[in-house]
Every structure is written in structure tokens, then in C-alpha cells.
Amino acid sequence: MNSDSARGRALLAWFQAAARDLPWRTRPAGQRDPYHVLVSELMLQQTQVSRVVERYHAFITRFPDFLALARADVSDVLALWAGLGYYRRARLLHAAAIAIVSHHAGRMPRDINAIRELPGVGRYTAGAIASMAFALPEPLVDGNVTRVILRLEGRELASDEPAAQALAWRRAAELVAASDHPGAFNEALMELGATVCTPANPRCSACPWSHTCAAFGNQSQSNIPRPKKRAARQALRLECVVLLDALGRVLLEPRPATGLWAGLWHMPSTESHGRARPDPADLLNSLALPSTPLAPAGSVKRTLTHRDVSLRVWAGRLSVRGPKLPGRAWFEPHALPAMSSAHAKVLERAHHALGALHKQS
Ligand code: SF4
């Protein structure tokens, strides 16, 4: 009996008792609906589990399968993604559903290479689908798995180093191949990293692998993985103008199809560079809108993966119906298009400021 199969059994025994009750775990891993696996895995990338738990059920209820999702308007998909951030994943999920309906008769292919060709599906997600939906012994490696394997092997590497990734994928493949339940094994391995072998203060006394873990053996857990070299964060400062017309409609424009907040809607904005702050009234002039006073309405700050974003809010109200403007539209407050949570907050601040001004006048 090899030690990896013994490790697998110990991990599964631990998982049976310790697995968290999560809404996508309705069937044992290995027999799960591939649609549910794809949706939950894409939602979980770069978003906290608790936030995904809040949104998953509503998404699956509205779009219960690949066909329903493929037929949906992408703006409806983005609206239901609100609060999860990184909206590019929602667009890719929608594109994957269209590809599955168009090229695979609405069913997820079982072949790992065909799975990997789907939009938004990389090596990790393909491994999750193959193992959790089809019980295939395909590995998966995320940040949690990398950390567990580096500690298990006692390798003091940063988790984004090529040597660390090569080791993690090789060992994850060996470990899952040695298990009789590859889907449950992969899920349990990620769960171990998320709940026991945590970045700080791992709970080694509760770990099913402590007796074969090199880091635990020489007490080097806190040195593994080594800290990553951090890229310098960029600051982005925007002046955002929230303009209502006499009907109470707000002026919005679509973001570009790529980049930050891709494809969502936002209010007209200009970027500040250096110390200079652009005059928000110039924005109205550039759109040939009637001039109207703009009141400062505070600011909204967001810390994104690579940027610190600061949005300064200006609010104004036209005394006439908003004119038609190319590439922009006026929206009723109850029928807003998909926006980032930061821009939703900007809108809230502006409404609050305009309401206060209205009471004063
Ligand atoms: Fe991680 Fe500790 Fe388990 Fe080793 S013994 S895998 S360091 S939790």
C-alpha cells in the first residue's frame, strides 16, 4: 500500500466529519451536476465563500442549466453577478454556456481537453469539473492546495514560483491518482487548506496529515510558503458626475469591453493625474449638456487586486428632460443596468446629497 493512498484515505475520513455545509455540495463530489460545479468554481475564484453562498442560490434558480444561461441576455447575467466582483468571470461563464449549447448539445464534455477549450476554463477549473462531476482522477491546484503541498513536502518556496507550481501540480496529480474517490479527494484537499492548513496559525493538531508532514516535523510551517514579491500598487483617482434629469433619470455610459469593470455601466467620469484635479463641470460641457451646479457628495474608496481606487462624487440635477446623447443613456432609478458595487455606492452618495439639497431649498 503506498503512502499516498493512505494519505488519501486519512484525508477523506477527516473530510467526512469536517466538511462545511455549502449550497453546491448537494451531491457527493464525483456525481455532481457539471453546471453547478462550473458556476460555483467560477464564483469562488477571488471571492470569499460567504459572499458566494449568499449569491449562488439566486443565480442557479434564475439560470438552472446551460441552456437557460446561454439564452439569457448577458446584462441579466451581469446583474445577478452583482456583489461578486470581477465581472469578467460572468461574461466567460455565459460564453461557456453558449459554447456548450452550440458545440456539445448542451452537455458538458467529459474529455479534459474539450473541457479546457471552454471559455473561462483553465487548468484548475477543468480539474474541478472532471473530478467533481465525472469522478475522473484529474488534479487541481489553487492557492490552498499549493500551500498544503509545499508544507507537506517541506519546500520553502513562494507559491507563485514556477518550481512551487510544478511541484504542486505533480504532487496533486500523484495524490489524486492514488485515491479511489478523486472528486471527494480534490474537494477535501482544498478544504484542508481553507480551514486547517491556513496561511497563519495552521491547526496542525487537527490535521489528518500531521504525522507525514515535513513542515510539521521540523516546525517550519510559518516559513512556508515564502512571501510573494509584491507588485507596486497603482492609484486610480476618478471624478464621477452623477447627473439626474427633470424626470429623475440618471445619465450612464457603458465601460469598455475589456479592463477594469469591463462591460458594466458607470456615470461620466474623468481621471485625475498627479496633483491636478479636473473640473467636473468640464465633463458636462464636453457632452454639450446645459450647465447646472454640481455639489460635492463625498468619495468612495475600493482596494482592488492591483489598484487603490478613489472615486470622488459630484451630483447635479437638470431642470429639463435629459437630451439624447450618443453612446450614453438615461435610466430610471428602478431599471438600472449592471454596475460595479463601487459605482452603485457612488450613486447612493449622490442621491443622498441631492436629497439633502432638496430639503434645504
Ligand atoms: Fe498543514 Fe500542519 Fe497539516 Fe502540515 S500538519 S499539512 S502544516 S496543517
Side-chain angles (χ1 to χ4, degrees):
M1 173 194 325
N2 81 35
S3 56
D4 280 350
S5 61
R7 280 196 184 105
R9 281 196 302 281
L11 184 68
L12 289 177
W14 166 82
F15 189 52
Q16 252 188 349
R20 290 170 293 177
D21 185 17
L22 297 172
W24 46 91
R25 291 180 177 171
T26 48
R27 276 194 259 163
Q31 306 166 23
R32 231 164 255 166
D33 183 332
Y35 177 69
H36 293 174
V37 177
L38 179 61
V39 172
S40 59
E41 289 301 332
L42 284 185
M43 284 185 170
L44 286 164
Q45 284 172 20
Q46 295 172 300
T47 301
Q48 287 176 343
V49 172
S50 57
R51 188 159 283 203
V52 176
V53 167
E54 288 165 11
R55 304 289 198 283
Y56 175 81
H57 187 68
F59 193 95
I60 291 289
T61 304
R62 175 80 184 276
F63 308 118
D65 51 32
F66 288 121
L67 188 59
L69 184 58
R71 283 181 173 162
D73 192 292
V74 70
S75 61
D76 292 337
V77 179
L78 292 171
L80 235 68
W81 201 267
L84 292 168
Y86 301 97
Y87 288 82
R88 185 167 173 270
R89 294 173 299 167
R91 292 177 166 279
L92 289 169
L93 176 59
H94 186 237
I98 291 171
I100 286 168
V101 169
S102 312
H103 305 306
H104 301 284
R107 300 171 80 95
M108 175 69 78
R110 295 177 74 96
D111 174 67
I112 188 82
N113 295 316
I115 297 173
R116 277 200 70 176
E117 281 174 12
L118 295 169
V121 175
R123 196 175 176 186
Y124 164 85
T125 309
I129 294 167
S131 61
M132 292 186 206
F134 304 129
L136 297 172
E138 294 290 344
L140 53 71
V141 170
D142 66 355
N144 287 325
V145 170
T146 303
R147 182 172 60 255
V148 173
I149 289 178
L150 288 178
R151 286 175 174 167
L152 189 67
E153 302 295 322
R155 296 291 300 277
E156 292 192 22
L157 299 168
S159 54
D160 57 351
E161 282 180 55
Q165 283 302 302
L167 173 70
W169 279 101
R170 180 174 64 74
R171 289 297 290 130
E174 290 166 356
L175 285 158
V176 76
S179 174
D180 293 334
H181 303 283
F185 174 86
N186 278 343
E187 194 162 58
L189 183 55
M190 290 193 291
E191 189 90 339
L192 186 73
T195 63
V196 173
C197 194
T198 46
N201 306 318
R203 295 187 295 118
C204 300
S205 58
C207 179
W209 286 356
S210 57
H211 57 292
T212 58
C213 173
F216 180 63
N218 63 18
Q219 290 296 292
S220 61
Q221 304 96 312
S222 58
N223 300 332
I224 302 176
R226 277 211 318 251
K228 291 181 192 172
K229 286 190 186 121
R230 292 211 172 274
R233 298 180 64 76
Q234 288 180 336
L236 176 66
R237 291 184 300 146
L238 296 168
E239 308 289 320
C240 304
V241 175
V242 176
L243 190 65
L244 303 188
D245 74 355
L247 305 179
R249 301 177 306 167
V250 63
L251 179 64
L252 298 174
E253 58 191 32
R255 302 268 318 164
T258 57
L260 187 61
W261 301 312
L264 301 176
W265 288 71
H266 72 154
M267 50 291 301
S269 309
T270 44
E271 189 174 343
S272 306
H273 295 282
R275 292 188 170 197
R277 284 270 189 191
D279 183 347
D282 289 346
L283 255 179
L284 301 190
N285 296 337
S286 70
L287 297 174
L289 284 163
S291 78
T292 190
L294 292 175
S299 62
V300 173
K301 294 189 191 306
R302 286 287 184 275
T303 304
L304 306 180
T305 313
H306 302 297
R307 290 189 241 217
D308 294 319
V309 183
S310 165
L311 304 111
R312 200 151 66 146
V313 187
W314 298 90
R317 194 191 294 272
L318 295 179
S319 57
V320 295
R321 182 192 178 100
K324 282 202 170 120
L325 293 168
R328 296 175 178 83
W330 296 89
F331 287 90
E332 306 279 352
H334 62 270
L336 295 171
M339 304 171 77
S340 73
S341 63
H343 289 106
K345 193 79 190 166
V346 166
L347 208 51
E348 191 185 307
R349 290 259 151 87
H351 276 297
H352 188 75
L354 288 172
L357 282 178
H358 184 67
K359 275 185 204 150
Q360 282 167 19
S361 59

